[in-house]
Short mmCIF file of all heavy atoms in Angstrom, two decimals:
data_model
loop_
_atom_site.label_atom_id
_atom_site.label_comp_id
_atom_site.label_asym_id
_atom_site.label_seq_id
_atom_site.Cartn_x
_atom_site.Cartn_y
_atom_site.Cartn_z
N LYS A 355 199.34 13.10 -17.29
CA LYS A 355 199.80 11.78 -16.78
C LYS A 355 200.50 11.22 -18.05
O LYS A 355 201.67 10.53 -17.85
CB LYS A 355 198.70 10.97 -16.31
CG LYS A 355 199.19 9.47 -15.98
CD LYS A 355 198.03 8.67 -15.55
CE LYS A 355 198.34 7.23 -15.34
NZ LYS A 355 197.18 6.28 -15.06
N GLU A 356 200.05 11.17 -19.20
CA GLU A 356 200.56 10.45 -20.39
C GLU A 356 201.35 11.11 -21.30
O GLU A 356 201.96 10.56 -22.19
CB GLU A 356 199.35 9.95 -21.16
CG GLU A 356 198.28 8.98 -20.46
CD GLU A 356 198.95 7.81 -19.95
OE1 GLU A 356 200.00 7.35 -20.52
OE2 GLU A 356 198.50 7.16 -19.03
N GLY A 357 201.74 12.56 -21.10
CA GLY A 357 202.59 13.19 -21.86
C GLY A 357 202.12 13.86 -23.18
O GLY A 357 202.80 14.35 -24.00
N VAL A 358 200.76 13.97 -23.20
CA VAL A 358 200.07 14.64 -24.23
C VAL A 358 200.10 16.13 -23.95
O VAL A 358 199.75 16.55 -22.93
CB VAL A 358 198.67 14.07 -24.51
CG1 VAL A 358 197.80 15.01 -25.42
CG2 VAL A 358 198.64 12.63 -25.00
N ARG A 359 200.44 16.89 -24.90
CA ARG A 359 200.47 18.41 -24.68
C ARG A 359 199.05 18.87 -25.06
O ARG A 359 198.49 18.45 -25.98
CB ARG A 359 201.55 18.95 -25.58
CG ARG A 359 202.96 18.42 -25.36
CD ARG A 359 203.50 18.62 -24.03
NE ARG A 359 203.46 20.01 -23.54
CZ ARG A 359 204.47 20.94 -23.88
NH1 ARG A 359 205.49 20.51 -24.54
NH2 ARG A 359 204.31 22.27 -23.48
N TYR A 360 198.79 20.05 -24.37
CA TYR A 360 197.37 20.70 -24.69
C TYR A 360 197.47 22.20 -24.64
O TYR A 360 198.20 22.72 -23.88
CB TYR A 360 196.25 20.02 -23.78
CG TYR A 360 196.62 20.20 -22.26
CD1 TYR A 360 196.16 21.42 -21.64
CD2 TYR A 360 197.29 19.19 -21.62
CE1 TYR A 360 196.41 21.56 -20.33
CE2 TYR A 360 197.61 19.39 -20.26
CZ TYR A 360 197.11 20.54 -19.64
OH TYR A 360 197.39 20.60 -18.25
N ALA A 361 196.58 22.80 -25.52
CA ALA A 361 196.40 24.23 -25.38
C ALA A 361 194.83 24.32 -25.02
O ALA A 361 193.99 23.99 -25.80
CB ALA A 361 196.77 24.88 -26.69
N TYR A 362 194.65 24.90 -23.96
CA TYR A 362 193.26 24.97 -23.32
C TYR A 362 192.83 26.45 -23.34
O TYR A 362 193.66 27.36 -22.84
CB TYR A 362 193.20 24.41 -21.99
CG TYR A 362 192.05 24.67 -21.11
CD1 TYR A 362 190.71 24.16 -21.57
CD2 TYR A 362 192.02 25.14 -19.93
CE1 TYR A 362 189.65 24.38 -20.81
CE2 TYR A 362 191.03 25.29 -19.06
CZ TYR A 362 189.82 24.91 -19.47
OH TYR A 362 188.58 25.06 -18.74
N SER A 363 191.59 26.73 -23.87
CA SER A 363 191.09 28.07 -23.78
C SER A 363 189.80 28.22 -23.08
O SER A 363 188.92 27.33 -23.24
CB SER A 363 191.03 28.61 -25.21
OG SER A 363 192.12 28.78 -25.79
N HIS A 364 189.67 29.06 -22.09
CA HIS A 364 188.39 29.23 -21.27
C HIS A 364 187.86 30.73 -21.51
O HIS A 364 188.71 31.64 -21.17
CB HIS A 364 188.66 29.01 -19.90
CG HIS A 364 187.52 28.89 -19.06
ND1 HIS A 364 186.29 29.64 -19.12
CD2 HIS A 364 187.21 28.00 -17.93
CE1 HIS A 364 185.37 29.29 -18.20
NE2 HIS A 364 185.92 28.42 -17.51
N PRO A 365 186.81 31.04 -22.15
CA PRO A 365 185.80 30.06 -22.54
C PRO A 365 185.96 29.34 -23.80
O PRO A 365 185.52 28.23 -23.96
CB PRO A 365 184.54 30.93 -22.61
CG PRO A 365 185.02 32.30 -22.95
CD PRO A 365 186.40 32.43 -22.40
N CYS A 366 186.86 29.88 -24.70
CA CYS A 366 186.96 29.32 -26.09
C CYS A 366 188.15 29.93 -26.75
O CYS A 366 188.69 30.93 -26.33
CB CYS A 366 185.67 29.34 -26.83
SG CYS A 366 185.10 31.03 -27.05
N PHE A 367 188.40 29.46 -27.98
CA PHE A 367 189.66 29.84 -28.66
C PHE A 367 189.46 31.38 -29.08
O PHE A 367 190.49 32.04 -29.44
CB PHE A 367 189.78 29.03 -30.01
CG PHE A 367 190.93 29.19 -30.79
CD1 PHE A 367 192.22 28.66 -30.39
CD2 PHE A 367 191.09 29.97 -31.87
CE1 PHE A 367 193.30 28.82 -31.14
CE2 PHE A 367 192.14 30.12 -32.58
CZ PHE A 367 193.47 29.56 -32.22
N GLU A 368 188.26 31.86 -29.18
CA GLU A 368 188.10 33.23 -29.51
C GLU A 368 188.75 34.27 -28.48
O GLU A 368 189.03 35.36 -28.88
CB GLU A 368 186.64 33.58 -29.62
CG GLU A 368 185.89 33.17 -30.96
CD GLU A 368 186.14 31.65 -31.28
OE1 GLU A 368 185.94 30.87 -30.47
OE2 GLU A 368 186.19 31.28 -32.47
N LEU A 369 188.90 33.75 -27.28
CA LEU A 369 189.69 34.62 -26.37
C LEU A 369 191.03 34.88 -26.90
O LEU A 369 191.47 35.96 -26.83
CB LEU A 369 189.65 33.89 -24.97
CG LEU A 369 190.71 34.55 -24.00
CD1 LEU A 369 190.32 36.03 -23.56
CD2 LEU A 369 190.82 33.66 -22.74
N TRP A 370 191.80 33.75 -27.32
CA TRP A 370 193.09 33.92 -27.79
C TRP A 370 193.17 34.83 -29.01
O TRP A 370 193.99 35.75 -29.13
CB TRP A 370 193.63 32.62 -28.19
CG TRP A 370 194.96 32.64 -28.97
CD1 TRP A 370 195.26 32.21 -30.21
CD2 TRP A 370 196.31 33.04 -28.33
NE1 TRP A 370 196.55 32.40 -30.48
CE2 TRP A 370 197.23 33.00 -29.35
CE3 TRP A 370 196.66 33.56 -27.15
CZ2 TRP A 370 198.54 33.28 -29.19
CZ3 TRP A 370 197.96 33.97 -26.97
CH2 TRP A 370 198.95 33.79 -28.00
N ARG A 371 192.06 34.77 -29.90
CA ARG A 371 192.07 35.65 -30.95
C ARG A 371 191.82 37.19 -30.51
O ARG A 371 192.52 38.09 -31.10
CB ARG A 371 191.04 35.32 -31.97
CG ARG A 371 191.16 33.92 -32.58
CD ARG A 371 189.90 33.52 -33.41
NE ARG A 371 189.73 34.28 -34.52
CZ ARG A 371 188.70 34.22 -35.33
NH1 ARG A 371 187.68 33.42 -35.01
NH2 ARG A 371 188.49 35.10 -36.44
N LEU A 372 190.91 37.36 -29.59
CA LEU A 372 190.63 38.65 -28.99
C LEU A 372 191.87 39.28 -28.35
O LEU A 372 192.13 40.54 -28.63
CB LEU A 372 189.57 38.53 -27.92
CG LEU A 372 189.17 39.81 -27.17
CD1 LEU A 372 188.69 40.93 -28.19
CD2 LEU A 372 188.23 39.53 -26.03
N LEU A 373 192.72 38.43 -27.80
CA LEU A 373 193.94 39.08 -27.13
C LEU A 373 194.97 39.66 -28.15
O LEU A 373 195.97 40.28 -27.84
CB LEU A 373 194.66 38.08 -26.29
CG LEU A 373 193.76 37.54 -25.07
CD1 LEU A 373 194.56 36.43 -24.27
CD2 LEU A 373 193.49 38.68 -24.23
N HIS A 374 194.82 39.32 -29.54
CA HIS A 374 195.65 39.74 -30.52
C HIS A 374 195.17 41.36 -30.79
O HIS A 374 195.92 42.12 -31.41
CB HIS A 374 195.56 39.12 -31.79
CG HIS A 374 196.23 37.82 -31.83
ND1 HIS A 374 195.87 36.71 -31.07
CD2 HIS A 374 197.34 37.44 -32.47
CE1 HIS A 374 196.70 35.66 -31.22
NE2 HIS A 374 197.64 36.06 -32.16
N TYR A 375 194.10 41.74 -30.28
CA TYR A 375 193.48 43.10 -30.51
C TYR A 375 193.59 43.85 -29.21
O TYR A 375 193.80 45.06 -29.23
CB TYR A 375 192.06 43.01 -30.89
CG TYR A 375 191.95 42.64 -32.42
CD1 TYR A 375 191.84 41.39 -32.73
CD2 TYR A 375 191.89 43.67 -33.31
CE1 TYR A 375 191.69 40.93 -34.11
CE2 TYR A 375 191.65 43.43 -34.71
CZ TYR A 375 191.71 42.03 -35.06
OH TYR A 375 191.55 41.74 -36.42
N GLN A 376 193.37 43.20 -28.02
CA GLN A 376 193.21 43.94 -26.76
C GLN A 376 193.48 43.10 -25.56
O GLN A 376 193.33 41.90 -25.67
CB GLN A 376 191.93 44.63 -26.60
CG GLN A 376 190.71 43.71 -26.33
CD GLN A 376 189.51 44.30 -25.65
OE1 GLN A 376 188.68 44.79 -26.47
NE2 GLN A 376 189.49 44.33 -24.47
N ASN A 377 193.87 43.67 -24.47
CA ASN A 377 193.94 42.91 -23.22
C ASN A 377 192.48 42.76 -22.74
O ASN A 377 191.72 43.54 -22.93
CB ASN A 377 194.75 43.52 -22.18
CG ASN A 377 195.10 42.79 -20.98
OD1 ASN A 377 194.94 41.54 -21.07
ND2 ASN A 377 195.60 43.29 -20.05
N TYR A 378 192.26 41.57 -22.07
CA TYR A 378 190.91 41.29 -21.53
C TYR A 378 191.06 40.49 -20.28
O TYR A 378 191.59 39.31 -20.34
CB TYR A 378 190.03 40.62 -22.53
CG TYR A 378 188.57 40.73 -21.96
CD1 TYR A 378 187.73 41.73 -22.30
CD2 TYR A 378 188.03 39.65 -21.24
CE1 TYR A 378 186.39 41.78 -21.87
CE2 TYR A 378 186.87 39.60 -20.88
CZ TYR A 378 186.02 40.65 -21.13
OH TYR A 378 184.62 40.71 -20.58
N THR A 379 190.61 41.02 -19.14
CA THR A 379 190.85 40.27 -17.92
C THR A 379 189.62 39.90 -17.16
O THR A 379 189.56 39.11 -16.25
CB THR A 379 191.79 40.95 -16.97
OG1 THR A 379 191.03 42.31 -16.65
CG2 THR A 379 193.07 41.35 -17.56
N SER A 380 188.46 40.34 -17.66
CA SER A 380 187.16 40.09 -16.99
C SER A 380 186.61 38.78 -17.30
O SER A 380 186.84 38.17 -18.31
CB SER A 380 186.14 41.12 -17.26
OG SER A 380 186.53 42.43 -16.90
N THR A 381 185.83 38.12 -16.43
CA THR A 381 185.21 36.85 -16.62
C THR A 381 184.24 36.94 -17.85
O THR A 381 183.65 38.00 -18.08
CB THR A 381 184.56 36.31 -15.40
OG1 THR A 381 183.92 34.98 -15.69
CG2 THR A 381 183.37 37.19 -14.95
N PHE A 382 184.05 35.85 -18.54
CA PHE A 382 183.04 35.65 -19.54
C PHE A 382 181.93 34.77 -19.07
O PHE A 382 180.80 34.58 -19.71
CB PHE A 382 183.61 35.06 -20.87
CG PHE A 382 184.43 35.93 -21.63
CD1 PHE A 382 185.91 35.86 -21.50
CD2 PHE A 382 183.94 36.84 -22.44
CE1 PHE A 382 186.75 36.58 -22.45
CE2 PHE A 382 184.80 37.64 -23.28
CZ PHE A 382 186.16 37.55 -23.16
N GLY A 383 182.03 34.38 -17.84
CA GLY A 383 181.03 33.56 -17.34
C GLY A 383 180.79 32.18 -18.02
O GLY A 383 179.76 31.62 -18.11
N GLY A 384 181.93 31.97 -18.78
CA GLY A 384 181.91 30.65 -19.52
C GLY A 384 181.11 30.69 -20.78
O GLY A 384 181.01 29.75 -21.50
N VAL A 385 180.76 31.87 -21.37
CA VAL A 385 180.00 32.05 -22.55
C VAL A 385 180.83 32.44 -23.63
O VAL A 385 181.33 33.57 -23.73
CB VAL A 385 178.87 33.17 -22.35
CG1 VAL A 385 178.03 33.40 -23.52
CG2 VAL A 385 178.04 32.77 -21.01
N CYS A 386 181.05 31.51 -24.59
CA CYS A 386 181.92 31.62 -25.72
C CYS A 386 181.42 32.88 -26.66
O CYS A 386 182.09 33.70 -27.28
CB CYS A 386 182.17 30.50 -26.43
SG CYS A 386 183.28 30.56 -27.88
N GLY A 387 180.04 32.90 -26.75
CA GLY A 387 179.41 33.93 -27.64
C GLY A 387 179.84 35.28 -27.19
O GLY A 387 179.95 36.15 -28.10
N ASP A 388 180.01 35.58 -25.88
CA ASP A 388 180.49 36.84 -25.53
C ASP A 388 181.93 37.20 -25.98
O ASP A 388 182.21 38.31 -26.40
CB ASP A 388 180.38 37.02 -23.95
CG ASP A 388 178.98 36.85 -23.37
OD1 ASP A 388 178.03 37.06 -24.21
OD2 ASP A 388 178.88 36.90 -22.20
N ALA A 389 182.72 36.16 -25.93
CA ALA A 389 184.07 36.42 -26.32
C ALA A 389 184.08 36.77 -28.03
O ALA A 389 184.79 37.51 -28.45
CB ALA A 389 184.92 35.16 -26.10
N SER A 390 183.23 35.94 -28.65
CA SER A 390 183.14 36.18 -30.11
C SER A 390 182.58 37.55 -30.47
O SER A 390 183.01 38.13 -31.36
CB SER A 390 182.19 35.08 -30.77
OG SER A 390 182.04 35.27 -32.04
N SER A 391 181.57 37.92 -29.66
CA SER A 391 181.02 39.26 -29.96
C SER A 391 182.05 40.39 -29.62
O SER A 391 182.10 41.32 -30.50
CB SER A 391 179.88 39.53 -28.91
OG SER A 391 178.73 38.70 -29.19
N LYS A 392 182.86 40.26 -28.68
CA LYS A 392 183.79 41.27 -28.35
C LYS A 392 184.91 41.25 -29.57
O LYS A 392 185.48 42.34 -29.87
CB LYS A 392 184.54 41.02 -27.08
CG LYS A 392 183.61 41.38 -25.88
CD LYS A 392 184.35 41.39 -24.54
CE LYS A 392 183.44 41.73 -23.44
NZ LYS A 392 182.86 43.06 -23.52
N LEU A 393 185.26 40.01 -30.03
CA LEU A 393 186.17 40.01 -31.07
C LEU A 393 185.78 40.54 -32.29
O LEU A 393 186.43 41.42 -32.94
CB LEU A 393 186.54 38.47 -31.43
CG LEU A 393 187.27 38.25 -32.59
CD1 LEU A 393 188.77 38.80 -32.42
CD2 LEU A 393 187.33 36.69 -32.81
N ARG A 394 184.45 40.37 -32.75
CA ARG A 394 183.81 40.86 -34.03
C ARG A 394 183.60 42.32 -33.90
O ARG A 394 183.47 43.13 -34.97
CB ARG A 394 182.49 40.16 -34.24
CG ARG A 394 182.72 38.67 -34.66
CD ARG A 394 181.50 37.96 -34.95
NE ARG A 394 180.80 37.62 -33.73
CZ ARG A 394 179.45 37.93 -33.50
NH1 ARG A 394 178.80 38.77 -34.24
NH2 ARG A 394 178.88 37.51 -32.41
N ALA A 395 183.72 42.98 -32.64
CA ALA A 395 183.36 44.31 -32.46
C ALA A 395 184.74 45.16 -32.50
O ALA A 395 184.68 46.38 -32.48
CB ALA A 395 182.76 44.62 -31.16
N GLN A 396 185.79 44.47 -32.65
CA GLN A 396 187.16 45.15 -32.66
C GLN A 396 187.31 45.97 -33.89
O GLN A 396 186.86 45.58 -35.03
CB GLN A 396 188.31 44.21 -32.69
CG GLN A 396 188.36 43.43 -31.18
CD GLN A 396 188.56 44.30 -30.08
OE1 GLN A 396 189.53 45.05 -30.15
NE2 GLN A 396 187.74 44.19 -29.02
N GLN A 397 187.88 47.13 -33.75
CA GLN A 397 188.02 48.00 -34.79
C GLN A 397 188.87 47.36 -35.95
O GLN A 397 189.99 46.78 -35.81
CB GLN A 397 188.76 49.25 -34.48
CG GLN A 397 188.96 50.29 -35.55
CD GLN A 397 189.57 51.70 -35.02
OE1 GLN A 397 190.04 51.69 -33.79
NE2 GLN A 397 189.77 52.68 -35.91
N GLY A 398 188.34 47.48 -37.16
CA GLY A 398 188.99 46.77 -38.38
C GLY A 398 188.77 45.31 -38.57
O GLY A 398 189.17 44.76 -39.57
N PHE A 399 188.19 44.77 -37.60
CA PHE A 399 188.07 43.23 -37.68
C PHE A 399 187.17 42.87 -38.90
O PHE A 399 187.50 42.00 -39.60
CB PHE A 399 187.43 42.69 -36.40
CG PHE A 399 187.25 41.20 -36.40
CD1 PHE A 399 188.34 40.29 -36.18
CD2 PHE A 399 186.01 40.56 -36.80
CE1 PHE A 399 188.10 38.88 -36.12
CE2 PHE A 399 185.89 39.27 -36.83
CZ PHE A 399 186.82 38.47 -36.49
N ALA A 400 185.94 43.40 -38.96
CA ALA A 400 185.07 43.16 -40.10
C ALA A 400 185.81 43.40 -41.36
O ALA A 400 185.51 42.57 -42.37
CB ALA A 400 183.79 43.99 -39.97
N GLN A 401 186.51 44.45 -41.56
CA GLN A 401 187.16 44.69 -42.93
C GLN A 401 188.15 43.71 -43.29
O GLN A 401 188.59 43.73 -44.42
CB GLN A 401 187.81 46.16 -42.71
CG GLN A 401 186.74 47.26 -42.77
CD GLN A 401 186.01 47.41 -41.37
OE1 GLN A 401 186.64 47.28 -40.30
NE2 GLN A 401 184.68 47.48 -41.52
N THR A 402 188.57 42.88 -42.38
CA THR A 402 189.51 41.68 -42.83
C THR A 402 188.76 40.71 -43.82
O THR A 402 189.41 39.93 -44.45
CB THR A 402 190.21 41.02 -41.64
OG1 THR A 402 189.08 40.30 -40.92
CG2 THR A 402 190.91 41.94 -40.77
N TYR A 403 187.37 40.80 -43.84
CA TYR A 403 186.70 39.98 -44.72
C TYR A 403 186.32 40.79 -45.90
O TYR A 403 185.60 40.16 -46.85
CB TYR A 403 185.37 39.50 -43.98
CG TYR A 403 185.71 38.58 -42.81
CD1 TYR A 403 185.98 39.15 -41.51
CD2 TYR A 403 185.81 37.23 -42.92
CE1 TYR A 403 186.28 38.38 -40.46
CE2 TYR A 403 186.14 36.45 -41.85
CZ TYR A 403 186.34 36.96 -40.73
OH TYR A 403 186.68 36.22 -39.56
N GLY A 404 186.67 42.00 -46.13
CA GLY A 404 186.35 42.69 -47.34
C GLY A 404 186.31 44.34 -46.91
O GLY A 404 185.90 44.56 -45.84
N ALA A 405 186.88 45.03 -47.79
CA ALA A 405 187.08 46.44 -47.40
C ALA A 405 185.70 47.22 -47.08
O ALA A 405 185.68 48.07 -46.22
CB ALA A 405 187.69 47.24 -48.66
N LYS A 406 184.65 46.61 -47.67
CA LYS A 406 183.35 47.35 -47.47
C LYS A 406 182.47 46.70 -46.36
O LYS A 406 181.41 46.98 -46.21
CB LYS A 406 182.59 47.49 -48.69
CG LYS A 406 183.37 48.36 -49.84
CD LYS A 406 182.49 48.53 -51.08
CE LYS A 406 183.22 49.34 -52.13
NZ LYS A 406 182.42 49.53 -53.37
N VAL A 407 182.92 45.48 -45.91
CA VAL A 407 182.17 44.74 -44.92
C VAL A 407 182.23 45.61 -43.60
O VAL A 407 183.15 45.96 -43.09
CB VAL A 407 182.79 43.37 -44.75
CG1 VAL A 407 182.10 42.69 -43.54
CG2 VAL A 407 182.83 42.53 -45.86
N ARG A 408 180.98 45.69 -43.14
CA ARG A 408 180.85 46.45 -41.82
C ARG A 408 180.49 45.54 -40.56
O ARG A 408 180.77 45.88 -39.48
CB ARG A 408 179.70 47.39 -41.97
CG ARG A 408 179.98 48.44 -42.90
CD ARG A 408 181.19 49.53 -42.40
NE ARG A 408 181.55 50.37 -43.39
CZ ARG A 408 182.64 50.24 -44.21
NH1 ARG A 408 183.37 49.14 -44.05
NH2 ARG A 408 182.88 51.09 -45.14
N ALA A 409 180.11 44.26 -40.82
CA ALA A 409 179.78 43.38 -39.66
C ALA A 409 179.84 41.94 -40.31
O ALA A 409 179.52 41.71 -41.45
CB ALA A 409 178.37 43.70 -39.11
N VAL A 410 180.20 41.04 -39.38
CA VAL A 410 180.24 39.52 -39.82
C VAL A 410 179.60 38.80 -38.65
O VAL A 410 179.54 39.22 -37.58
CB VAL A 410 181.72 39.09 -39.89
CG1 VAL A 410 182.41 39.67 -41.11
CG2 VAL A 410 182.45 39.30 -38.59
N SER A 411 178.89 37.71 -39.09
CA SER A 411 178.14 36.88 -38.10
C SER A 411 179.14 36.04 -37.43
O SER A 411 180.42 35.85 -37.74
CB SER A 411 177.21 36.01 -38.93
OG SER A 411 177.92 35.09 -39.65
N GLU A 412 178.72 35.49 -36.32
CA GLU A 412 179.51 34.63 -35.53
C GLU A 412 179.97 33.40 -36.34
O GLU A 412 181.10 32.96 -36.20
CB GLU A 412 178.76 34.05 -34.26
CG GLU A 412 179.63 33.25 -33.26
CD GLU A 412 178.91 32.93 -32.04
OE1 GLU A 412 177.77 33.57 -31.78
OE2 GLU A 412 179.35 32.09 -31.20
N GLN A 413 179.06 32.84 -37.19
CA GLN A 413 179.52 31.75 -38.08
C GLN A 413 180.56 32.28 -39.10
O GLN A 413 181.60 31.42 -39.18
CB GLN A 413 178.24 31.18 -38.83
CG GLN A 413 178.50 29.93 -39.53
CD GLN A 413 178.91 28.68 -38.73
OE1 GLN A 413 178.46 28.67 -37.58
NE2 GLN A 413 179.72 27.90 -39.26
N GLU A 414 180.42 33.36 -39.66
CA GLU A 414 181.41 33.79 -40.56
C GLU A 414 182.75 33.99 -40.04
O GLU A 414 183.81 33.78 -40.63
CB GLU A 414 180.93 35.14 -41.29
CG GLU A 414 179.73 34.91 -42.29
CD GLU A 414 179.12 36.30 -42.70
OE1 GLU A 414 179.10 37.21 -41.83
OE2 GLU A 414 178.79 36.39 -43.91
N SER A 415 182.71 34.52 -38.83
CA SER A 415 183.95 34.83 -38.10
C SER A 415 184.76 33.55 -37.72
O SER A 415 185.95 33.66 -37.22
CB SER A 415 183.66 35.58 -36.88
OG SER A 415 183.05 34.86 -35.83
N LYS A 416 184.26 32.42 -37.83
CA LYS A 416 185.00 31.19 -37.61
C LYS A 416 186.08 30.93 -38.58
O LYS A 416 187.11 30.35 -38.35
CB LYS A 416 184.06 29.91 -37.51
CG LYS A 416 183.16 29.90 -36.37
CD LYS A 416 182.30 28.61 -36.45
CE LYS A 416 181.18 28.61 -35.21
NZ LYS A 416 181.96 28.57 -33.94
N HIS A 417 185.93 31.55 -39.77
CA HIS A 417 187.00 31.60 -40.77
C HIS A 417 187.98 32.63 -40.53
O HIS A 417 187.70 33.99 -40.60
CB HIS A 417 186.33 31.70 -42.14
CG HIS A 417 185.59 30.47 -42.67
ND1 HIS A 417 186.12 29.33 -43.04
CD2 HIS A 417 184.21 30.26 -42.56
CE1 HIS A 417 185.22 28.48 -43.32
NE2 HIS A 417 184.05 29.01 -43.02
N LEU A 418 189.16 32.25 -40.10
CA LEU A 418 190.11 33.29 -39.64
C LEU A 418 190.89 33.91 -40.84
O LEU A 418 191.07 33.16 -41.85
CB LEU A 418 191.10 32.55 -38.72
CG LEU A 418 192.17 33.35 -37.86
CD1 LEU A 418 192.21 32.76 -36.57
CD2 LEU A 418 193.51 33.45 -38.51
#
Side-chain angles (χ1 to χ4, degrees):
K355 177 184 176 184
E356 301 294 342
V358 169
R359 305 297 303 272
Y360 56 89
Y362 170 58
S363 299
H364 192 321
C366 56
F367 190 78
E368 277 62 36
L369 168 65
W370 174 244
R371 297 174 66 189
L372 176 63
L373 295 178
H374 285 69
Y375 284 87
Q376 69 162 91
N377 193 13
Y378 191 87
T379 59
S380 300
T381 179
F382 286 100
V385 180
C386 183
D388 289 351
S390 175
S391 294
K392 289 188 179 298
L393 172 65
R394 288 180 284 122
Q396 295 298 309
Q397 183 176 2
F399 180 85
Q401 286 69 50
T402 63
Y403 296 87
K406 296 183 179 180
V407 175
R408 293 294 173 262
V410 294
S411 69
E412 185 171 350
Q413 187 63 31
E414 289 172 321
S415 72
K416 291 182 181 296
H417 290 278
L418 193 140

